[in-house]
Amino acid sequence: MLNTNKNLSVFPIGAPNDAYAQYFSGKSYLKYLSTEQVTIFNVTFEPKCRNNWHIHHAKSGGGQILVCVAGRGWYQEWGKEPIEMLPGDVVNIPEGVKHWHGAARDSWFQHLAIEVPGEDIVNEWCEPVDDAQYDKLK
């Protein structure tokens, strides 16, 4: 349960992210903040939780912006080193870039996920993040 983490940030944690649970290692929570003009979700990850590698595809435009609002987490693009995310950090993810994001092993993590508008947007979910690689992160 969330116990003392209910007030992780000013943004509500939301409901268990059951619809996408198959694409996450661990428990996450999802709260829609905006579904007009630009879609914005608040995603909360329990410690060690992360999503699978995935790609945001679009015929034009598309991609995603992550804004860390609480806790400590990680972002990594395929073939690159992981980047630690702390409150206030922003990551711009272009369309077509394979990546993952999630919590550090010892911290809850919360980010706003902003979908960049585009044409024919679809997400491709790929393999889980390798446990051995994740466990090397400090």
Side-chain angles (χ1 to χ4, degrees), residues 35-82:
T35 56
E36 297 180 23
Q37 296 175 301
V38 175
T39 303
I40 303 173
F41 305 96
N42 183 39
V43 186
T44 303
F45 301 78
E46 70 178 0
K48 298 183 186 177
C49 178
R50 67 256 186 207
N51 53 31
N52 288 6
W53 289 96
H54 58 286
I55 305 167
H56 302 281
H57 294 287
K59 184 175 179 182
S60 65
Q64 187 177 53
I65 300 168
L66 303 178
V67 179
C68 178
V69 295
R72 188 170 73 89
W74 294 99
Y75 167 80
Q76 183 177 15
E77 293 181 4
W78 190 261
K80 295 186 178 179
E81 290 297 313

Side-chain angles (χ1 to χ4, degrees), residues 51-121:
N51 53 31
N52 288 6
W53 289 96
H54 58 286
I55 305 167
H56 302 281
H57 294 287
K59 184 175 179 182
S60 65
Q64 187 177 53
I65 300 168
L66 303 178
V67 179
C68 178
V69 295
R72 188 170 73 89
W74 294 99
Y75 167 80
Q76 183 177 15
E77 293 181 4
W78 190 261
K80 295 186 178 179
E81 290 297 313
I83 298 170
E84 183 180 40
M85 291 189 71
L86 299 170
D89 289 343
V90 177
V91 175
N92 290 277
I93 308 164
E95 180 278 332
V97 173
K98 188 173 183 178
H99 66 283
W100 70 270
H101 32 102
R105 77 179 82 194
D106 60 351
S107 177
W108 284 80
F109 176 60
Q110 195 174 70
H111 68 54
L112 303 183
I114 303 164
E115 292 185 9
V116 177
E119 184 180 348
D120 297 332
I121 293 175

